[in-house]
Amino acid sequence: KTVKAIIKNLFCKFKTYEIGQFYYPYEMIFDIDFYFVCLLAFCCVGSGLVIMVNIGSIVRSYGGIDLEEEDARSITSTIVLIISILNCASRIIMGILSDLTQKYVIRPVFLAVCCAIMAIAQFAFAFTPVHYLYYTCVVMGIAYGGMFAMLPGFVSER
């Protein structure tokens, strides 16, 4: 067989469905969109969750010897508060914004923007000093909340 025939046979197992068409859960395995959504959830939601779970360790490791235990706790609690508030606000704002602009901008565009913002936040975490973590956490909280607001809408449109 030629390479073209092998690639065609590989991808012919993936079916395309019309928007809103019903199909059974075992049929998801043969749908390429299922794997796309899993990859998005793994990369964007998973990386945001890792930061939120380990924010205390991140603050202590960035502070080094210069940061006392009480200062580290204060910075950690403030960062967790910032992430939580912006996560909630972003879910509400992104949901309303995507509904208001759905005639002009489709939801996967909002999802792509949230993924890009999360990538910027993860990249910024590698280089920001401890006292600039607040700004990085603002960006991450917005992207994390936006991902949770956009994923159900994206799945419902598929």
Side-chain angles (χ1 to χ4, degrees), residues 55-56 59-60 63-79 130-131 133-134:
I55 195 68
V59 168
R60 274 188 244 114
I65 301 171
D66 300 336
L67 210 59
E68 295 181 17
E69 187 67 30
E70 189 173 314
D71 291 338
R73 285 185 187 154
S74 172
I75 291 172
T76 302
S77 64
T78 305
I79 286 175
V130 69
H131 296 292
L133 278 178
Y134 298 114

Side-chain angles (χ1 to χ4, degrees), residues 6-137:
I6 291 172
I7 292 173
K8 184 178 178 183
N9 287 335
L10 178 68
F11 287 108
C12 73
K13 293 180 182 175
F14 292 109
K15 297 178 182 178
T16 58
Y17 294 92
E18 295 295 323
I19 293 177
Q21 180 181 353
F22 176 78
Y23 55 98
Y24 293 101
Y26 64 85
E27 291 177 326
M28 282 188 310
I29 297 169
F30 300 110
D31 190 14
I32 195 77
D33 289 339
F34 171 73
Y35 294 105
F36 179 67
V37 171
C38 288
L39 181 68
L40 279 176
F42 179 75
C43 292
C44 296
V45 175
S47 63
L49 188 62
V50 165
I51 294 294
M52 287 196 298
V53 167
N54 297 313
I55 195 68
S57 301
I58 292 170
V59 168
R60 274 188 244 114
S61 68
Y62 277 2
I65 301 171
D66 300 336
L67 210 59
E68 295 181 17
E69 187 67 30
E70 189 173 314
D71 291 338
R73 285 185 187 154
S74 172
I75 291 172
T76 302
S77 64
T78 305
I79 286 175
V80 168
L81 181 68
I82 288 171
I83 291 173
S84 299
I85 290 172
L86 287 171
N87 182 7
C88 177
S90 178
R91 289 181 192 209
I92 295 168
I93 291 169
M94 289 294 261
I96 292 171
L97 192 63
S98 72
D99 283 343
L100 290 176
T101 61
Q102 77 183 40
K103 292 181 181 178
Y104 312 108
V105 181
I106 56 175
R107 285 194 177 113
V109 171
F110 280 101
L111 192 62
V113 168
C114 289
C115 287
I117 292 171
M118 181 62 82
I120 291 168
Q122 295 297 324
F123 186 74
F125 261 105
F127 299 108
T128 54
V130 69
H131 296 292
Y132 293 107
L133 278 178
Y134 298 114
Y135 304 114
T136 309
C137 288

